[in-house]
């Protein structure tokens, strides 16, 4: 296989699906992974990529996924999300476990499994999709804040530890992006999810995908360490200007 290969986790929806499309349009062969294989197969057919089932919280699933990936030049650690906005005083530890497992351990599992292939490519790149929640705490965000802060920490450690290897590491931290994120966070409550974006023009999944595509298009000696991308009307985790 001479074409460069990008692996995108959580590609059945939102930022991951948009990133897969943007990368494919830029010449990458894209391997898309997530739990909803039907969606992935439709996407892979559209972009000429490869669909593989992946549950980043399951060791065996990650091992099977990584074994099926022949070559990996770019890994986009995108699978993740939030559940609930429960205040810390009433913390639901199952919500915390879910968020830690998918965002933190999921990123560790997939990165660890694909690192040998990334390094062997001679010009590997890991892009991890963090969040403004990785930079700033906000009320109701404790579990997600903790998970995204941890994901950011492990991403920065990876950069330090593999500095002598031909590997670039980038963390992209978006603000509000209109995807299925809020629908997942509010357990399918569409009305509540829509309120999150009321009165603002949020980022689209394509806006973030374009940043991923650009980072991956740079010459091998250029490492974008971190990038924050916000809607114009958002200037912090809880600083949002809404039009009436
Ligand atoms: P989304 O539309 O809900 O997409 C989340 C993706 O993650 C889906 O494809 C989902 O696929 C996948 N996923 C969830 N659990 C998984 C698991 N156990 N194994 C494999 N894949 C899994 O949300 P999104 O906004 O695109 O989120 C993408 C990333 O951006 C997440 O890391 C999120 O934290 C981050 N982010 C989002 C926002 C925002 O405002 N939307 C802002 C900052 C950061 P399946 O359900 O099919 O497995």
């Amino acid at each position: 296989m001479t074409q460069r290969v990008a692996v995108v986790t959580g590609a059945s929806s939102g930022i991951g699906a948009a990133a897969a499309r943007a990368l494919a349009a830029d010449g990458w062969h894209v391997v898309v992974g997530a739990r909803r294989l039907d969606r992935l197969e439709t996407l892979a057919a559209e972009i000429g990529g490869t669909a593989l089932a992946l549950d980043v919280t399951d060791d065996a699933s990650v091992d099977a996924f990584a074994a099926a990936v022949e070559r990996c030049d770019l890994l986009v650690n995108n699978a993740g999300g939030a559940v609930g906005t429960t205040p810390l005083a009433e913390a639901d530890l199952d919500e915390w476990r879910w968020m830690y497992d998918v965002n933190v351990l999921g990123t560790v599992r997939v990165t660890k499994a694909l690192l040998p292939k990334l390094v062997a490519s001679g010009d590997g790149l890991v892009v991890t999709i963090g969040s403004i929640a990785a930079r700033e705490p906000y009320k109701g965000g404790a579990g997600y804040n903790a998970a995204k802060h941890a994901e950011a920490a492990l991403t920065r450690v990876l950069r330090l530890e593999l500095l002598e290897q031909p590997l670039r590491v980038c963390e992209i931290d978006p603000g509000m992006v209109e995807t299925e994120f809020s629908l997942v966070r509010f357990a399918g409550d569409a009305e509540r999810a829509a309120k999150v974006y009321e009165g603002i023009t949020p980022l689209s999944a394509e806006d973030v995908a374009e940043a991923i595509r650009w980072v991956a298009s740079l010459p091998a000696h250029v490492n974008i360490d971190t990038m924050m991308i916000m809607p114009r009307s958002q200037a912090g985790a809880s600083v949002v200007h809404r039009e009436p």
Side-chain angles (χ1 to χ4, degrees):
M1 194 182 257
T2 52
Q3 196 179 9
R4 300 186 80 206
V5 175
V7 171
V8 180
T9 70
S12 62
S13 165
I15 296 168
R21 288 193 178 94
L23 291 166
D26 231 17
W28 294 82
H29 180 85
V30 186
V31 178
V32 289
R35 294 165 302 176
R36 288 170 291 180
L37 191 56
D38 51 336
R39 288 187 179 205
L40 294 182
E41 281 169 347
T42 307
L43 175 62
E46 176 196 322
I47 64 173
T50 304
L52 292 175
L54 170 67
D55 181 346
V56 299
T57 68
D58 181 313
D59 291 343
S61 171
V62 173
D63 287 348
F65 177 85
V69 173
E70 272 175 51
R71 170 180 174 169
C72 182
D73 302 84
L74 164 64
L75 167 62
V76 182
N77 280 316
N78 167 75
V83 283
T85 51
T86 316
L88 190 71
E90 288 123 45
D92 177 334
L93 294 191
D94 286 335
E95 290 180 348
W96 279 67
R97 274 186 205 98
W98 187 93
M99 290 188 274
Y100 197 82
D101 207 8
V102 68
N103 292 288
V104 185
L105 301 183
T107 294
V108 175
R109 282 187 192 93
V110 177
T111 304
K112 189 178 166 195
L114 288 175
L115 259 184
K117 285 168 188 159
L118 283 157
V119 171
S121 77
D123 177 22
L125 170 61
V126 177
V127 176
T128 295
I129 307 303
S131 171
I132 178 70
R135 310 240 186 158
E136 267 186 57
Y138 58 90
K139 286 181 184 175
Y144 187 54
N145 283 141
K148 285 299 191 188
H149 273 71
E151 192 180 17
L154 76 89
T155 303
R156 292 170 204 171
V157 169
L158 183 71
R159 170 114 167 90
L160 293 169
E161 288 182 349
L162 277 91
L163 194 56
E164 290 165 17
Q165 300 293 335
L167 185 83
R168 288 177 285 161
V169 181
C170 171
E171 172 195 341
I172 296 183
D173 292 328
M176 293 159 88
V177 192
E178 194 165 10
T179 61
E180 292 176 17
F181 174 85
S182 294
L183 205 58
V184 172
R185 182 169 219 168
F186 300 127
D189 184 337
E191 209 174 310
R192 206 171 160 205
K195 276 206 175 351
V196 173
Y197 311 108
E198 226 167 54
I200 67 157
T201 302
L203 297 172
S204 68
E206 289 71 26
D207 295 327
V208 182
E210 170 54 15
I212 297 167
R213 186 207 63 75
W214 175 72
V215 166
S217 75
L218 295 170
H221 68 284
V222 182
N223 195 95
I224 304 297
D225 285 50
T226 58
M227 187 194 286
M228 277 179 80
I229 315 173
M230 311 286 279
R232 189 184 65 193
S233 50
Q234 183 180 14
S238 359
V239 184
V240 179
H241 169 70
R242 295 181 195 273
E243 296 293 340

